[in-house]
Amino acid sequence: MGEIRNRFTSEVIFTFEGELRKANLWRANLRRANLEEANLEEADLEGADLEGADLEGADLEGADL
């Protein structure tokens, strides 16, 4: 199981099984999430709130933004 945490407070925002590749994160609240180095390849992030999220080094190839 994985967790996405607030990059400032470390509060758990989202938990998941496996990886986020091809994940359906449509309209997800990922504000201030630490997604550094995350594999988000082909993930559906349409309408997701990524304000302040750390996406440094994240794989977004084919992701729907």
Side-chain angles (χ1 to χ4, degrees):
M1 181 168 78
E3 296 177 335
I4 297 175
R5 295 181 172 268
N6 182 299
R7 65 189 280 204
F8 300 112
T9 67
S10 295
E11 174 187 0
V12 175
I13 297 171
F14 181 77
T15 60
F16 59 93
E17 294 288 332
E19 61 179 40
L20 294 174
R21 186 176 178 274
K22 295 187 178 183
N24 180 358
L25 298 170
W26 181 77
R27 299 194 66 183
N29 178 358
L30 299 171
R31 293 175 65 111
R32 296 181 288 282
N34 181 357
L35 297 166
E36 188 175 352
E37 303 293 327
N39 181 356
L40 295 164
E41 186 179 340
E42 298 181 38
D44 182 359
L45 294 161
E46 184 178 351
D49 186 351
L50 295 164
E51 183 179 333
D54 183 355
L55 293 163
E56 184 174 344
D59 183 354
L60 295 166
E61 184 176 345
D64 184 2
L65 299 170

